[in-house]
Amino acid sequence: MRVINREQCIGCYSCMYACSRAYFHVASTKLSAMRIKNYSGVEGTFSIRICVGCPDPDCAKACPTEALTVRKGGGVEFHEEKCINCHQCVDACLLDALQWDPVTKEPLVCSQCGICATFCPNNVIALVEVNDE
Amino acid sequence: MSKILQIDLSAKSYMVYENDKLYNEYIGGTGIATKLLYDMHIENNNPYDEKSPIIFSIGSFNGVYPIATKTIAMFKSPLTGNLGESHAGGRLFMSMYDAGLSAIVITGRLDVPSYIAIENENVRFIRATSIWGQSALATERILRGQEKGIGKRSIVRIGPAGESLSPMGNVLVDTGRHFGRLGLGGVMGSKNLKAIVISGSKRRKMDNFPAFNKVYTEIYSKAVHSAAMKKYHDLGTPQNVLPLNKINGLPTRNFSQGFFEGAEYLSGENMSENYLAQQIACANCPVGCIHLGVLRKSFQDRIHYKTFKISYDYEPIYALGTNLSINNPDGLLDLLNIIEKAGWDAIEAGITLAWATEAFEKGLIGTKETKGIILNFGDVETYKKVLLKMRENKEEFFENLNKGSAYCANKYGGKEFAINFGGLGAAGYITGRDAFIGFLMGVRHSHLDSAGYSIDEKVVRGDLEPNEGKEIDMLIEEEEWRFILNSLAVCLFARKIYTEELVIRALAALGITKTPEDLKGISKKIHKLKYEIKIANGFNMDKLGFPEKLYTIQTSRGKMDRATIKRMIKDYRDRIASLLSVN
């Protein structure tokens, strides 16, 4: 996933709603594997924190149990059975893109499916091809 | 989802209870708020009494479907003395939904200025004497830094206007959204309640996901890809400026005429081309109708610049632009910025300044009252001075202005040109009788009740034959349908998407079965309760009329005939009386 037009974001959170809806069947922004941040006193400024599918991801590196592994085609895969709920993956993500579910105490991993982009009314984010090599 | 959080500010205590029956009977939003307010019997309270409540409520579509972005507030209005109801967008509905709360009922008074932080079902009471006096905008910045929240936060707050108990005080919600018009800001001020910060961590799994997802996607797709919402996103509500001017329906110089010679400068087209910084949206609304304009000002030596982003809409453009004869968008944004910081309702402030200017012209007030200030239509710098003095609230005349046009007209005269209905300043339409009858008889005295202007416009366009009885039918029918939309707390801009058929289907996808007859029954019940509240609180249907000046002007439909208006008001009153007589 890539942010292609940050300045076009209107802060509607349709992307976050879409992600939570598609993967968890919830009507909420809570279980979204991405985040739109807004800033105090800076009217209309949004920052889009989305998994960019790092080739050598810091989150996977930080995981002490290899619960996160590099996924072919971008991003990481989550192996729930290995997760020890330590939060180190989320702390390691410099982009603040990797989200956390406080209920399950597990990371909310982006599948690079692009549904967030499908529900963006203003072409702010996009699913782009990356070279795996 | 029927949890109600009840907060007593005096005792600093709170409790949560469930009331499924209330939700089944009244759906949510305006329906349940009306019933809650009705049951609290506010008729013996002053709006600023300790026991006068503030009720916030959302409905079953909020947090679930797109463009269901409103939170309903109900209270006793210090402007009209009866039913106070305002709706605001932003993120408040989302934060209430995340907290798992359908309604919040606040009574009592804090011993010192404070704010409250609501996180799920917990409430903290925090002293805020240090931010009492801060602008509504600064308050948001400060509290966003202080309160981390447990999810997306919504910050609801007042400025100095509400603190000074101005009945024109509004409540700001997040960026550029407000509980406006009926004086909720003053009510919060009377409770020493500077702000409410709310967030939550709950989530709701949909029982019938495929059905829900289908309806969601349909609404989203209509909002983004059809023409239904285009005007709200593109030029926004200011797109009305030129069409209204063309039909002589744009209030100019305190409702003296419906044509403004400088309309082009304040048009949606000019504002977009030369002032629009960007559009932003309420949560879960892909439309983005909030238009932020840029005001760039030099200071000191003219090499320094400061830049403001100020939300603009049609109504503030009318109230502080055309109706004050100001054609300069910079001047308009400058006034709006002062108003936003102080936390007044923009329409009410504009109507009051317009009354003051005409009262000055006619000699009802003079430089003795204004302390040397000479009021002229079109004079931005003077209006700025007046607003700043109103915010200071120290000198008698400006303290009186801070109480609104109806109060001032009572004190100094000029009732005939104080353009308010039951105390509430008129919205921006000189389209004809239906706009004004809507203001007079609608439960909120607002253009949002029944959109009478749009019936007038149909007549002007030749799409509707004038017919007194039928026009009243249309006003009531529209208002009653809006009770349903307001109970689901859908933004009225999406009313073309949320048809009755879609509403029934969208409810069904959530497991709520309602027929068209059920909805009609609910809206009649809401209408009746609202009128009962109004009448018990002093709304007198035997003393209704328009400000005299309106009979002398040309509306889009020509001059209004006094006998016709009298007949139509009587007809409307009779229908309300018959509504009230049904058990």
Side-chain angles (χ1 to χ4, degrees):
Chain A
M1 298 302 311
R2 289 287 184 277
V3 179
I4 53 171
N5 290 303
R6 183 190 71 83
E7 297 80 2
Q8 290 175 199
C9 179
I10 57 170
C12 67
Y13 308 135
S14 294
C15 49
M16 293 172 71
Y17 277 104
C19 185
S20 301
R21 194 167 65 245
Y23 285 88
F24 296 95
H25 293 188
V26 299
S28 171
T29 57
K30 295 282 172 202
L31 292 172
S32 169
M34 60 165 301
R35 189 169 170 215
I36 304 295
K37 286 179 87 163
N38 50 320
Y39 295 91
S40 140
V42 194
E43 281 84 2
T45 301
F46 304 100
S47 183
I48 293 99
R49 305 306 175 89
I50 195 161
C51 177
V52 297
C54 314
D56 184 15
D58 293 334
C59 56
K61 275 274 182 326
C63 179
T65 61
E66 294 181 340
L68 292 177
T69 54
V70 179
R71 177 181 175 278
K72 198 170 158 42
V76 288
E77 256 177 288
F78 179 53
H79 310 283
E80 195 177 5
E81 69 287 356
K82 292 186 184 169
C83 179
I84 56 166
N85 320 107
C86 69
H87 204 268
Q88 290 188 47
C89 52
V90 168
D91 295 339
C93 179
L94 201 61
L95 300 173
D96 267 347
L98 185 60
Q99 302 299 309
W100 185 252
D101 181 346
V103 174
T104 60
K105 296 191 166 46
E106 287 172 358
L108 292 161
V109 171
C110 171
S111 310
Q112 307 286 319
C113 74
I115 193 159
C116 51
T118 310
F119 278 88
C120 175
N122 287 334
N123 199 25
V124 174
I125 41 186
L127 190 61
V128 296
E129 281 291 332
V130 291
N131 191 348
D132 265 358
E133 299 311 312
Chain B
M1 176 87 189
S2 64
K3 280 190 177 164
I4 299 170
L5 169 65
Q6 198 162 314
I7 303 172
D8 179 348
L9 298 173
S10 303
K12 291 190 182 151
S13 66
Y14 59 95
M15 59 174 281
V16 175
Y17 65 96
E18 291 196 48
N19 192 338
D20 289 339
K21 187 171 172 283
L22 183 66
Y23 276 84
N24 292 336
E25 229 175 305
Y26 292 93
I27 316 180
T30 205
I32 63 144
T34 301
K35 181 69 169 109
L36 287 167
L37 191 70
Y38 180 86
D39 288 343
M40 291 180 86
H41 291 288
I42 53 168
E43 49 270 19
N44 299 320
N45 304 356
N46 177 294
Y48 292 155
D49 274 353
E50 198 171 325
K51 54 186 176 182
S52 286
I54 298 171
I55 301 169
F56 295 108
S57 67
I58 58 174
S60 34
F61 286 3
N62 292 117
V64 175
Y65 290 124
I67 338 180
T69 51
K70 295 291 182 181
T71 304
I72 309 301
M74 279 212 190
F75 48 96
K76 183 157 179 169
S77 166
L79 257 186
T80 65
N82 61 70
L83 178 68
E85 176 177 356
S86 304
H87 305 172
R91 286 188 295 273
L92 178 56
F93 78 87
M94 178 171 74
S95 298
M96 281 180 68
Y97 174 86
D98 288 348
L101 301 170
S102 291
I104 302 169
V105 179
I106 302 171
T107 55
R109 178 179 293 135
L110 291 148
D111 50 353
V112 291
S114 305
Y115 74 91
I116 57 176
I118 301 171
E119 290 173 353
N120 290 339
E121 292 169 23
N122 301 308
V123 183
R124 284 180 288 121
F125 302 82
I126 300 115
R127 277 175 65 95
T129 49
S130 57
I131 58 169
W132 198 252
Q134 290 279 355
S135 78
L137 301 184
T139 303
E140 199 257 352
R141 291 194 292 272
I142 293 162
L143 293 183
R144 200 165 283 281
Q146 279 298 323
E147 287 291 330
K148 300 299 170 212
I150 52 170
K152 292 267 179 209
R153 292 153 295 173
S154 181
I155 301 181
V156 175
R157 71 281 179 191
I158 58 171
E163 293 173 15
S164 69
L165 307 187
S166 169
M168 305 194 294
N170 69 4
V171 172
L172 282 82
V173 178
D174 305 317
T175 300
R177 298 295 89 182
H178 314 85
F179 286 112
R181 316 296 346 262
L182 288 150
L184 181 60
V187 180
M188 265 179 75
S190 76
K191 298 191 172 309
N192 268 331
L193 181 58
K194 178 70 173 168
I196 305 166
V197 186
I198 173 160
S199 63
S201 63
K202 311 239 171 110
R203 70 276 297 260
R204 173 177 169 195
K205 196 157 181 146
M206 306 314 286
D207 294 333
N208 185 351
F209 179 73
F212 154 70
N213 197 37
K214 191 163 168 261
V215 177
Y216 185 103
T217 309
E218 177 186 338
I219 298 168
Y220 179 91
S221 172
K222 280 183 180 158
V224 175
H225 304 298
S226 79
M229 304 290 290
K230 193 174 176 328
K231 74 172 191 183
Y232 296 108
H233 173 267
D234 288 0
L235 299 182
T237 52
Q239 78 125 22
N240 288 336
V241 171
L242 293 180
L244 279 168
N245 203 42
K246 206 169 170 186
I247 61 166
N248 216 28
L250 182 63
T252 299
R253 288 181 284 281
N254 198 29
F255 282 74
S256 292
Q257 59 185 58
F259 173 83
F260 182 52
E261 61 283 359
E264 198 186 308
Y265 302 110
L266 302 180
S267 65
E269 290 80 352
N270 189 50
M271 293 301 290
S272 289
E273 202 168 318
N274 296 307
Y275 291 88
L276 179 62
Q278 67 183 112
Q279 289 98 326
I280 58 170
C282 297
N284 212 3
C285 173
V287 176
C289 77
I290 306 170
H291 285 58
L292 298 179
V294 172
L295 173 65
R296 188 165 169 261
K297 290 174 79 171
S298 65
F299 62 99
Q300 291 173 346
D301 53 10
R302 297 193 59 80
I303 300 171
H304 282 160
Y305 276 87
K306 51 186 175 179
T307 303
F308 303 87
K309 280 191 202 172
I310 301 152
S311 79
Y312 64 83
D313 262 301
Y314 170 71
E315 298 293 341
I317 287 178
Y318 126 73
L320 298 155
T322 66
N323 207 38
L324 295 179
S325 203
I326 289 165
N327 65 7
N328 164 11
D330 285 298
L332 169 82
L333 291 172
D334 216 356
L335 293 176
L336 259 177
N337 194 33
I338 294 172
I339 285 169
E340 192 76 347
K341 286 180 174 176
W344 285 298
D345 179 73
I347 302 179
E348 211 52 52
I351 282 279
T352 303
L353 291 177
W355 167 85
T357 312
E358 188 162 344
F360 192 90
E361 275 180 355
K362 293 198 155 67
L364 297 176
I365 51 174
T367 48
K368 188 169 149 262
E369 284 81 13
T370 65
K371 306 278 180 207
I373 289 177
I374 294 167
L375 284 160
N376 281 306
F377 282 116
D379 183 353
V380 175
E381 290 308 313
T382 298
Y383 286 133
K384 277 163 64 180
K385 264 187 230 159
V386 172
L387 287 169
L388 292 173
K389 279 183 173 287
M390 283 164 64
R391 176 172 163 162
E392 275 177 17
N393 204 36
K394 279 182 186 153
E395 294 162 275
E396 190 192 345
F397 176 67
F398 301 99
E399 282 179 78
N400 290 334
L401 285 184
N402 202 17
K403 295 184 175 121
S405 69
Y407 181 91
C408 288
N410 260 330
K411 187 158 179 82
Y412 299 103
K415 275 189 196 173
E416 62 282 11
F417 57 82
I419 311 299
N420 64 71
F421 291 78
L424 181 72
Y429 305 89
I430 308 192
T431 48
R433 64 198 191 192
D434 292 330
F436 297 133
I437 287 173
F439 298 163
L440 192 68
M441 303 301 290
V443 291
R444 291 189 282 161
H445 304 287
S446 150
H447 61 300
L448 298 164
D449 287 326
S450 52
Y453 59 91
S454 116
I455 302 174
D456 289 329
E457 283 167 349
K458 283 193 182 88
V459 175
V460 173
R461 280 200 308 267
D463 296 343
L464 181 74
E465 278 295 310
N467 178 318
E468 294 169 25
K470 189 168 178 213
E471 287 166 39
I472 293 172
D473 286 341
M474 290 169 77
L475 285 169
I476 293 176
E477 197 178 314
E478 180 65 23
E479 180 157 18
E480 291 188 343
W481 171 242
R482 289 180 178 211
F483 293 147
I484 297 299
L485 296 180
N486 296 337
S487 295
L488 300 163
V490 165
C491 174
L492 289 175
F493 290 170
R495 61 188 181 273
K496 284 191 181 148
I497 295 178
Y498 280 95
T499 59
E500 185 183 73
E501 184 275 326
L502 178 75
V503 163
I504 287 171
R505 220 153 26 84
L507 282 166
L510 303 178
I512 302 168
T513 310
K514 297 280 180 216
T515 64
E517 291 66 39
D518 292 339
L519 295 180
K520 278 195 184 72
I522 292 167
S523 70
K524 286 270 176 220
K525 228 161 47 172
I526 296 171
H527 204 176
K528 184 170 182 244
L529 282 187
K530 286 189 186 212
Y531 252 94
E532 283 177 355
I533 296 172
K534 288 179 77 69
I535 291 167
N537 283 278
F539 180 67
N540 187 345
M541 292 210 295
D542 298 328
K543 285 189 182 166
L544 293 172
F546 297 166
E548 278 299 309
K549 183 175 180 178
L550 297 181
Y551 291 111
T552 68
I553 56 166
Q554 288 289 337
T555 73
S556 305
R557 295 174 65 177
K559 259 193 181 179
M560 291 186 294
D561 168 55
R562 206 180 283 268
T564 308
I565 299 302
K566 205 174 161 191
R567 221 169 29 241
M568 287 181 76
I569 293 173
K570 184 177 179 306
D571 187 359
Y572 204 124
R573 256 180 41 194
D574 291 346
R575 295 185 204 209
I576 296 294
S578 111
L579 173 78
L580 292 172
S581 68
V582 177
N583 279 321

